[in-house]
Amino acid sequence: MRTAELRMKEETAVARKEGREEGDKNTVKVLAATIQDLRPEINESDLFKQIKKSVGPDFSLSDGKIREIIHQNLK
Protein backbone atom coordinates (compact mmCIF):
# COMPACT_ATOMS: atom_id res chain seq x y z
CA MET A 1 0.00 0.00 0.00
CA ARG A 2 1.35 3.41 -0.94
CA THR A 3 1.98 5.95 1.70
CA ALA A 4 0.66 9.47 1.36
CA GLU A 5 4.24 10.78 1.17
CA LEU A 6 5.11 8.53 -1.77
CA ARG A 7 1.89 9.47 -3.55
CA MET A 8 2.65 13.18 -3.05
CA LYS A 9 6.18 12.73 -4.44
CA GLU A 10 4.79 10.97 -7.52
CA GLU A 11 2.20 13.68 -8.08
CA THR A 12 4.89 16.36 -7.73
CA ALA A 13 7.11 14.59 -10.27
CA VAL A 14 4.23 14.32 -12.75
CA ALA A 15 3.37 18.01 -12.30
CA ARG A 16 6.99 19.00 -12.88
CA LYS A 17 7.18 16.87 -16.02
CA GLU A 18 3.95 18.36 -17.37
CA GLY A 19 5.23 21.87 -16.62
CA ARG A 20 8.52 21.12 -18.35
CA GLU A 21 6.68 19.73 -21.39
CA GLU A 22 4.49 22.83 -21.57
CA GLY A 23 7.60 24.98 -21.41
CA ASP A 24 9.17 22.89 -24.17
CA LYS A 25 6.06 23.34 -26.32
CA ASN A 26 6.45 27.10 -25.92
CA THR A 27 10.15 26.81 -26.77
CA VAL A 28 9.35 24.95 -30.00
CA LYS A 29 6.75 27.59 -30.91
CA VAL A 30 9.25 30.42 -30.34
CA LEU A 31 12.03 28.66 -32.24
CA ALA A 32 9.68 27.86 -35.13
CA ALA A 33 8.52 31.48 -35.35
CA THR A 34 12.07 32.84 -35.11
CA ILE A 35 13.51 30.51 -37.73
CA GLN A 36 10.54 31.11 -40.02
CA ASP A 37 11.03 34.89 -39.70
CA LEU A 38 14.68 34.50 -40.66
CA ARG A 39 13.98 32.07 -43.49
CA PRO A 40 10.36 32.46 -44.65
CA GLU A 41 10.78 29.82 -47.38
CA ILE A 42 11.81 27.09 -44.90
CA ASN A 43 9.92 23.79 -45.00
CA GLU A 44 8.82 21.65 -42.06
CA SER A 45 11.65 19.14 -42.43
CA ASP A 46 14.38 21.77 -42.40
CA LEU A 47 12.71 23.59 -39.53
CA PHE A 48 12.59 20.35 -37.54
CA LYS A 49 16.32 19.80 -38.11
CA GLN A 50 17.11 23.34 -36.96
CA ILE A 51 15.04 22.96 -33.80
CA LYS A 52 16.62 19.59 -32.98
CA LYS A 53 20.05 21.25 -33.26
CA SER A 54 18.90 24.05 -30.94
CA VAL A 55 17.50 21.96 -28.09
CA GLY A 56 19.44 19.81 -25.65
CA PRO A 57 19.42 16.03 -25.48
CA ASP A 58 17.20 16.05 -22.38
CA PHE A 59 14.38 17.87 -24.21
CA SER A 60 11.16 16.29 -22.95
CA LEU A 61 9.10 16.34 -26.15
CA SER A 62 9.20 13.50 -28.65
CA ASP A 63 10.12 14.07 -32.28
CA GLY A 64 6.49 13.47 -33.24
CA LYS A 65 5.24 16.13 -30.85
CA ILE A 66 7.84 18.61 -32.12
CA ARG A 67 6.77 17.94 -35.72
CA GLU A 68 3.12 18.41 -34.73
CA ILE A 69 3.85 21.81 -33.15
CA ILE A 70 5.87 22.86 -36.20
CA HIS A 71 3.03 21.82 -38.52
CA GLN A 72 0.52 23.85 -36.49
CA ASN A 73 2.74 26.93 -36.55
CA LEU A 74 3.54 26.86 -40.28
CA LYS A 75 -0.10 27.01 -41.39
Side-chain angles (χ1 to χ4, degrees), residues 3-69:
T3 64
E5 182 179 346
L6 178 59
R7 197 167 40 245
M8 285 176 53
K9 286 181 181 180
E10 289 174 347
E11 289 171 359
T12 301
V14 168
R16 283 187 183 146
K17 182 178 184 227
E18 289 172 356
R20 186 171 55 246
E21 286 178 353
E22 188 59 40
D24 288 347
K25 287 178 188 174
N26 292 335
T27 299
V28 170
K29 289 176 184 177
V30 169
L31 285 170
T34 302
I35 294 169
Q36 187 179 17
D37 285 346
L38 295 172
R39 295 182 48 205
E41 74 288 349
I42 196 165
N43 63 36
E44 290 184 26
S45 178
D46 290 338
L47 183 54
F48 174 75
K49 290 174 189 173
Q50 290 294 323
I51 289 174
K52 286 298 281 187
K53 286 181 186 177
S54 300
V55 298
D58 59 342
F59 200 67
S60 66
L61 296 178
S62 68
D63 289 356
K65 191 67 176 168
I66 293 170
R67 288 181 189 277
E68 180 182 320
I69 294 168

